[in-house]
Amino acid sequence: MKILIVEDETDLLITISNYLTKENYICELAENFQKAFEKISIYEYDIILLDITLPDGNGIDLLKYIKKKNLKAGIIILSAKSSLDDKITGLDLGADDYITKPFQLSELNSRINAVLRKHHFDGSNVVQFNEIKVDTVSKTIKVNDEEIIVTKKEYDMLLYFILNKNRVLTKEAIAEHLWNDNIDQADNFDFIYTHLNNIRRKIKSKGGTDYIKTIYGMGYKFSDR
Amino acid sequence: MKILIVEDETDLLITISNYLTKENYICELAENFQKAFEKISIYEYDIILLDITLPDGNGIDLLKYIKKKNLKAGIIILSAKSSLDDKITGLDLGADDYITKPFQLSELNSRINAVLRKHHFDGSNVVQFNEIKVDTVSKTIKVNDEEIIVTKKEYDMLLYFILNKNRVLTKEAIAEHLWNDNIDQADNFDFIYTHLNNIRRKIKSKGGTDYIKTIYGMGYKFSDR
DNA sequence: CAAATTCTAAAGTAAATCTAAAGTTGGTTG
DNA sequence: CAACCAACTTTAGATTTACTTTAGAATTTG
């Protein structure tokens, strides 16, 4: 899961990023309006953490822009004061949750989980596709009710496939979602092959179907047919 | 075990905290409604000691909030007078016990123990997982009926694992539960490794099984399988 | 201040991730 | 349709990251 953190206090920005990275999220950082705007225009995120007060603009405007562009990201507002006005404005404009600084990182984490559940997982903790079940709390995967032991990257990749079933995903899209932007974009993405192969092997080992169809020259499609 | 003490008389607050810290509880303090509310929204506690009369609000409202959020903390009300009304209201709203000021600290301690026993330990003083027995009164641990000598941190950590068996606990979650909030969140939690290693070594020394499974990149899970 | 506990740091080990290269398949073109 | 190239698959192993273990420094406790 990929998160954009928009926050002008650099210390807090780094603290949040370190914590969420340890919790196995892919994090990208924006310390002002301008950078946040650029990133939002270019990349897709699952969650955006949005500080309202930025040195060069207002987070509310970013929120409006996100909603206008109809982006699928869940939005959690970070606000310095428990200002009821800001809170109401934010939630009215379509933010999914609101957290008042200072906050405990574990609290942020559980709110992120709640928003992800609501937004991307149809309200459940388990994302299922036929005989494959992904438990997003214990971060485990079962095939025909037998657990397969997967690494973080394998887990992320399989979840990304299932959440984007029936859509062709290019290697570039996969790389963009599973790695943050300090990876060299000009590189070839051959390392994806290795992870893909591991997932396919592990699913087959429990008698699962290989739903990951190779679309030659295009990418991959996770699908029944 | 982690305790939140909500009490506006600073002297009493400090006195209780000092005493309970010596009794090996992790204590956090809130001297008004606002702070207590913030802490309750953010952290998990095993016990909350709740003064009803606060300068900026009513403890009963906090109690309602705790019950509404369905928090697992046991609640003991501290009340200045033996006001029967407050007592009945508190217990009706789901408080677990009630103690009237002034009280003996040892009396408070035994009430805390009783609530913990009822709430977390299924009514018993001994929490058991196969060949491992934790006696929560004498705070001793037996493996195959032989005592292992553990330090406070080791005792707390093992009890936390057993009470959260079959759940993956991240290093962050462990740190949050076993240390109070003056620990620097940005830090790495490498010191956990040392305590963990000590627990594993001591359990093995009496022929016990190492139920603490390492989930690489995720955390630890105390489990049979 | 002596002893025990807790934390820090560093060396050792294991696992995950990435790289590279050999093998295979599919599509294109003469 | 045969030959070739590009894209994908698979495997081995190099690199990086995460965890384990140990020793000892710093802190707390009696």
Side-chain angles (χ1 to χ4, degrees):
Chain A
M1 289 288 132
K2 198 163 193 178
I3 298 184
L4 176 67
I5 311 167
V6 184
E7 169 61 61
D8 65 321
E9 294 166 42
T10 316
D11 287 354
L12 182 59
L13 183 65
I14 302 291
T15 303
I16 296 173
S17 170
N18 286 343
Y19 178 82
L20 292 178
T21 301
K22 275 186 194 148
E23 291 286 332
N24 300 334
Y25 294 103
I26 316 295
C27 294
E28 292 190 12
L29 316 179
E31 72 273 21
N32 57 40
F33 185 96
Q34 177 63 24
K35 288 207 176 173
F37 185 79
E38 280 171 17
K39 296 232 175 205
I40 290 167
S41 318
I42 294 171
Y43 301 107
E44 281 198 340
Y45 298 95
D46 298 293
I47 294 283
I48 298 172
L49 304 180
L50 190 56
D51 185 15
I52 291 296
T53 52
L54 296 169
D56 56 341
N58 191 321
I60 293 290
D61 293 333
L62 275 176
L63 179 56
K64 282 181 191 161
Y65 175 73
I66 292 162
K67 286 295 150 186
K68 199 177 117 208
K69 277 196 66 179
N70 212 17
L71 303 179
K72 68 169 191 180
I75 297 162
I76 298 173
I77 291 177
L78 316 176
S79 163
K81 287 168 208 155
S82 178
S83 150
L84 198 62
D85 274 0
D86 275 4
K87 183 169 180 169
I88 288 168
T89 310
L91 294 176
D92 272 359
L93 288 171
D96 297 281
D97 204 351
Y98 196 97
I99 190 166
T100 307
K101 293 188 243 177
F103 49 80
Q104 195 65 21
L105 292 168
S106 62
E107 168 71 4
L108 178 64
N109 189 27
S110 60
R111 286 185 190 228
I112 289 170
N113 277 323
V115 172
L116 281 176
R117 201 160 54 238
K118 192 180 73 179
H119 247 248
H120 298 291
F121 308 155
D122 284 339
S124 162
N125 289 321
V126 177
V127 180
Q128 181 165 7
F129 187 93
N130 292 353
E131 75 272 28
I132 299 173
K133 285 183 201 151
V134 182
D135 185 322
T136 62
V137 171
S138 62
K139 307 203 174 178
T140 53
I141 293 171
K142 283 187 177 177
V143 177
N144 290 320
D145 293 319
E146 275 194 278
E147 182 170 346
I148 56 173
I149 308 297
V150 291
T151 68
K152 280 177 281 184
K153 278 281 176 258
E154 289 160 16
Y155 172 89
D156 283 350
M157 195 178 279
L158 183 53
L159 182 57
Y160 180 55
F161 271 118
I162 294 183
L163 292 176
N164 291 283
K165 61 192 171 195
N166 300 321
R167 288 174 52 187
V168 177
L169 302 171
T170 63
K171 274 188 294 176
E172 288 71 20
I174 296 167
E176 192 172 289
H177 232 85
L178 269 56
W179 282 267
N180 58 24
D181 54 0
N182 58 27
I183 199 169
D184 190 350
Q185 287 283 355
D187 270 8
N188 59 347
F189 299 124
D190 286 357
F191 48 83
I192 290 175
Y193 295 140
T194 310
H195 295 296
L196 205 64
N197 185 43
N198 289 336
I199 295 171
R200 283 169 157 165
R201 185 170 40 75
K202 287 176 183 180
I203 289 174
K204 279 182 210 161
S205 78
K206 300 293 182 196
T209 308
D210 182 12
Y211 295 116
I212 306 171
K213 305 284 187 297
T214 305
I215 315 293
Y216 198 96
M218 292 286 185
Y220 298 90
K221 187 170 79 166
F222 190 93
S223 164
D224 239 348
R225 297 151 270 123
Chain B
M1 290 288 129
K2 204 164 188 177
I3 298 184
L4 176 67
I5 311 168
V6 184
E7 170 59 63
D8 64 321
E9 295 167 42
T10 316
D11 287 355
L12 181 58
L13 184 65
I14 302 292
T15 305
I16 297 173
S17 170
N18 286 344
Y19 176 81
L20 293 178
T21 301
K22 275 189 190 138
E23 291 288 327
N24 300 334
Y25 294 103
I26 317 294
C27 294
E28 292 189 12
L29 315 179
E31 72 274 20
N32 57 39
F33 185 96
Q34 176 63 24
K35 288 207 174 171
F37 184 78
E38 278 172 20
K39 295 233 175 204
I40 290 167
S41 329
I42 290 168
Y43 293 103
E44 283 196 338
Y45 296 96
D46 299 293
I47 294 282
I48 298 172
L49 304 180
L50 190 57
D51 186 15
I52 293 296
T53 53
L54 295 169
D56 56 343
N58 191 320
I60 293 290
D61 292 332
L62 276 176
L63 179 55
K64 281 181 192 162
Y65 175 73
I66 292 161
K67 288 295 152 185
K68 198 178 118 209
K69 275 195 69 177
N70 214 16
L71 302 180
K72 66 169 191 180
I75 297 162
I76 299 173
I77 290 177
L78 317 175
S79 163
K81 288 168 208 158
S82 177
S83 150
L84 197 62
D85 274 0
D86 275 4
K87 183 168 179 171
I88 288 167
T89 311
L91 294 176
D92 272 0
L93 288 171
D96 296 281
D97 203 351
Y98 196 97
I99 191 166
T100 307
K101 294 188 246 178
F103 49 78
Q104 296 281 319
L105 290 169
S106 59
E107 168 72 3
L108 178 64
N109 190 26
S110 60
R111 286 181 190 234
I112 289 170
N113 277 323
V115 171
L116 281 176
R117 199 159 58 237
K118 191 181 75 179
H119 248 248
H120 298 291
F121 309 154
D122 285 336
S124 161
N125 289 322
V126 177
V127 180
Q128 181 164 5
F129 187 95
N130 293 353
E131 75 271 28
I132 299 174
K133 286 182 201 153
V134 181
D135 185 322
T136 61
V137 172
S138 62
K139 308 212 170 177
T140 54
I141 292 171
K142 283 187 178 177
V143 177
N144 291 320
D145 294 319
E146 277 193 277
E147 183 170 347
I148 56 173
I149 307 298
V150 290
T151 69
K152 278 175 278 180
K153 277 281 175 256
E154 289 159 16
Y155 172 88
D156 283 349
M157 194 178 280
L158 183 54
L159 182 57
Y160 180 56
F161 270 118
I162 294 183
L163 292 176
N164 291 284
K165 61 192 171 195
N166 298 322
R167 289 174 51 186
V168 177
L169 303 172
T170 64
K171 274 187 294 176
E172 288 71 21
I174 296 167
E176 194 168 288
H177 234 85
L178 296 181
W179 283 266
N180 57 24
D181 56 359
N182 55 29
I183 199 167
D184 187 352
Q185 285 282 357
D187 269 9
N188 58 348
F189 299 125
D190 286 357
F191 49 83
I192 289 176
Y193 294 141
T194 310
H195 296 296
L196 205 64
N197 185 43
N198 289 337
I199 295 171
R200 283 169 158 165
R201 186 169 40 74
K202 287 176 183 180
I203 289 175
K204 278 182 210 160
S205 77
K206 300 294 181 196
T209 309
D210 182 11
Y211 296 115
I212 306 172
K213 305 282 186 297
T214 304
I215 316 292
Y216 203 97
M218 295 282 185
Y220 298 91
K221 186 169 78 167
F222 191 92
S223 164
D224 239 347
R225 299 152 267 123

